[in-house]
Amino acid sequence: MLVRKGQADSARRSFTKALMLSPASPNIFFMRGNAFQAMNDHSSAAQDFRRAAALKPDYYQAWNNLGSACMSLLDNKCAIAALRATLELIPAHPIPLVNLAVTENRVCDWSRLQRRRRDLRRALRAENDAGRALVTPFHSLEFGFSPAWPSRYAARSST
């Protein structure tokens, strides 16, 4: 709650104190990682997300946020590994799919580009079909998607 109110440093201090009481809590590491990320301390955020994922290997949010923190640090190897771990747990989520495609592009790994486009298109269709109002991730623009894409897809699929 403090992070959302713009009080990320207060949140970080509170989570640090909480870790003294519960040093093996993946949720506290995750929340403190979010506070670090809000403070643009992506290195500390990555450490906490990594700890959360190590404590709870199926914690897809920790893996996803680790991928985002590593992207911000331009640590492509870390980002790719974390985002692939995320997609093992939630294979059809558009945001890690886009982030993974962007990061693979950064390292000129074009071998998976068509597959990523296909998977992203499928994921966005599923979100649209389920009636979820997912905002198309900004990076998806580079793959030919736009904020108007869901309505264009809906018009095509109804004919």
Side-chain angles (χ1 to χ4, degrees):
M1 193 106 150
L2 289 172
V3 172
R4 285 189 217 134
K5 290 182 177 182
Q7 299 173 13
D9 193 48
S10 293
R12 180 200 51 82
R13 285 193 306 270
S14 296
F15 293 131
T16 299
K17 288 178 185 175
L19 282 168
M20 289 181 210
L21 300 173
S22 186
S25 172
N27 293 336
I28 297 172
F29 277 112
F30 177 76
M31 291 183 289
R32 189 173 74 169
N34 287 330
F36 278 126
Q37 205 154 25
M39 297 166 54
N40 290 317
D41 183 352
H42 301 292
S43 181
S44 296
Q47 289 176 8
D48 277 1
F49 295 138
R50 193 174 285 114
R51 287 181 187 132
L55 289 166
K56 185 178 176 188
D58 64 344
Y59 202 167
Y60 72 86
Q61 296 97 330
W63 286 111
N64 186 60
N65 286 16
L66 174 59
S68 295
C70 291
M71 285 179 74
S72 295
L73 293 167
L74 301 178
D75 184 346
N76 296 319
K77 184 177 179 180
C78 169
I80 288 170
L83 293 165
R84 286 180 180 166
T86 304
L87 290 168
E88 287 292 319
L89 299 166
I90 52 167
H93 198 286
I95 292 172
L97 280 167
V98 168
N99 287 341
L100 180 57
V102 166
T103 307
E104 288 172 343
N105 285 351
R106 283 182 181 173
V107 297
C108 300
D109 181 355
W110 311 113
S111 65
R112 295 176 178 88
L113 183 58
Q114 292 307 315
R115 183 171 132 207
R116 298 288 179 238
R117 283 183 176 163
R118 183 195 69 229
D119 292 347
L120 180 58
R121 192 170 284 114
R122 187 178 300 139
L124 289 171
R125 280 187 192 125
E127 291 292 309
N128 188 61
D129 291 348
R132 290 189 282 270
L134 177 75
V135 174
T136 306
F138 173 76
H139 293 302
S140 64
L141 297 174
E142 98 181 58
F143 300 104
F145 299 100
S146 71
W149 182 82
S151 59
R152 287 196 321 264
Y153 161 71
R156 257 196 340 246
S157 63
S158 66
T159 57

